[in-house]
Amino acid sequence: MPHAEPMSKTPARPAPLAWVDRAPFYQAGLAGYSDAPMRLIARQHGCPYCVTEAMLDRFLVGGGKGLRKAELDDADHPIAGQLMGSHPDEIAAGARVLVKLGYDVVDINLACPVKKIKKKSRGGHLLSAPDEAIAILYAVADAVGGDVPLSVKLRRGYDDSPQAEADFHRILQTVIDLGYAAATVHGRTVQQKYIGPARWPFLAEMTRRYRDAMQRGFLLFGSGDIENVESIFRMIEQTGVHGVSVARGCIGNPWIFRQAQQRMGGQPIAPPTLDEQRRVLAAHFELSVRQHGEALAGRMMRKFGIKFARHHDRAEEVAKAFIAVKSLGDWRDVLGRYYPSGQRSRV
Ligand SMILES: Cc1cc2nc3c(=O)[nH]c(=O)nc-3n(C[C@H](O)[C@H](O)[C@H](O)COP(=O)(O)O)c2cc1C
C-alpha cells in the first residue's frame, strides 16, 4: 500500500500569494500614493506584496498614459494590479492587459466609495448592484482563464441594511465559487466612506462563516484601522483573517513593515532613527524623480513629507515646513534643515 501523504495544515497557495505564510501583511492600494516608488521602498523594508491603486479599465485598454503608468519595474513583484470599471467586457479586457504587462495577480475593486460616474456603478457602488458585480466577476474569470490568480477588494456592504449584508455574502460566495484565490474586506461600508471605525467583529464573523473555504485555501484578508504594527497582529488575533492590508498606516511609514518582521522574529521593535528617515526620504525622492520627472515628484514628495514628519522629534514643525514647500528646492531645504546627514541618533 503506498503511503498517504500526511495532510498539510496549510493548503498550497498560488505562488504569487505564498508570502502570506511567512509574513501575513501587505501594502494596500492607495490612490495618489501607492506608486512604484512607494511600493519599492515598502519592499526594501520587508513588505512581501503590494497592490496598485485602482486603475480604470478603459485607461488600460485605451493605451497611452494609462497604460504607461501600469508598466512594472522588475523589482516590483509579486504584485496585484487592481482594476475598476463598470462593464464586464471592458474590465475583462483590462484584466488581459494586466496579465500581459506581467502582473502576478489581478484584483477587482468593489470597494471605492467615490460617487458613480454618469449613473454607472463602479468600485464599491457595485455592491448595491450585485448582479452587475457578479457579471464582472464571471467575465474576468473567463478572460484570465487561470493564467494568474484573481482576487477582490470589497467593503463589508454598501450600507448597514440587511439587504446590503445579503448582497455582500452573495457576492463573496460567488468569488469563492468561481475559484478566486483571495478577498480583502474593508470593515467599513461604502456609505461610511472613511468616517467612524472599521467593524472588526464583522471580519471575525466572516472568517467563521467562510471557515471551510479558508481551510480549502481561499485567503481572506482584513482592512481598516491598521495604524501601527500592533494593530496588524491584533486584527489577525481578533478576527482570524489570514493577513492584513496595511493602508493609511504605511503612508510615510515603511518602517511598519520592518517592525512587523521584527515582531515576528521576536526582536525589539525599533522606531526609525533620524538617519534612517533621511535615507528613506532621499531614496523615495530619487525613485519618484525617476518615475515621474522632477515636477510631479516634487508634488508627490511634499505630501509624503507631511506624513513622514510624524517620525521626527519636532514633528509639528517639520510637517509645517513640508506643507510650505512650493518647489523642489524648498523640499531639499527642508531635508537639509531637519534631516542633517551624519547623525546616527534621533535629534
Ligand atoms: C487616500 C486613499 C486612497 C485609497 N485608494 C485605494 C485604492 O486605490 N484601492 C483600494 O483597494 N483601496 C484604496 N483605499 C482604501 C485602503 O486600501 C483601505 O482599505 C482603507 O484605507 C482602510 O484601511 P485603513 O483604515 O487602515 O487606512 C484608499 C484609501 C485612502 C485613504
Side-chain angles (χ1 to χ4, degrees), residues 28-33 51-54 82 107 109 111 153 155 186 188 194 198 223-227 245-249 251:
L30 285 158
Y33 290 97
V51 180
T52 65
E53 67 177 279
Q82 191 182 72
D107 189 53
N109 182 310
K153 165 76 182 286
R155 289 193 175 225
H186 178 181
R188 291 187 177 85
Y194 294 93
S223 167
D225 294 337
I226 301 301
E227 286 158 4
S245 151
V246 186
R248 285 174 292 184
I251 302 177

Side-chain angles (χ1 to χ4, degrees), residues 40-212:
L40 292 171
I41 295 283
R43 291 181 195 280
Q44 288 164 13
H45 286 78
C47 173
Y49 178 69
C50 297
V51 180
T52 65
E53 67 177 279
M55 297 182 272
L56 283 180
D57 51 4
R58 55 197 161 82
F59 286 169
L60 288 173
V61 176
K65 215 170 138 193
L67 185 62
R68 271 201 309 280
K69 233 177 114 176
E71 283 170 5
L72 285 175
D73 189 293
D74 285 348
D76 202 4
H77 290 277
I79 185 165
Q82 191 182 72
L83 274 171
M84 188 156 72
S86 301
H87 194 281
D89 293 345
E90 284 176 13
I91 204 161
R96 287 304 318 164
V97 173
L98 291 182
V99 173
K100 267 207 193 123
L101 285 173
Y103 281 86
D104 305 293
V105 174
V106 171
D107 189 53
I108 309 297
N109 182 310
L110 301 178
C112 177
V114 174
K115 271 213 157 47
K116 295 179 190 185
I117 300 265
K118 292 185 186 152
K119 294 194 184 143
K120 277 196 192 165
S121 297
R122 67 179 198 200
H125 295 269
L126 285 164
L127 293 179
S128 63
D131 290 338
E132 288 175 42
I134 286 170
I136 286 172
L137 294 172
Y138 269 91
V140 172
D142 269 357
V144 171
D147 288 350
V148 299
L150 300 173
S151 62
V152 180
K153 165 76 182 286
L154 58 175
R155 289 193 175 225
R156 68 172 169 82
Y158 182 74
D159 56 25
D160 275 315
S161 64
Q163 183 61 51
E165 189 168 347
D167 290 342
F168 169 90
H169 288 298
R170 198 180 138 211
I171 292 168
L172 187 55
Q173 190 58 55
T174 307
V175 166
I176 293 168
D177 294 345
L178 283 175
Y180 279 57
T184 299
V185 179
H186 178 181
R188 291 187 177 85
T189 65
V190 176
Q191 229 181 29
Q192 205 182 335
K193 295 186 178 155
Y194 294 93
I195 302 160
R199 201 177 280 177
W200 288 14
F202 179 90
L203 302 180
E205 246 173 74
M206 187 181 70
T207 60
R208 281 194 290 275
R209 182 166 175 150
Y210 296 99
R211 181 172 297 148
D212 285 355

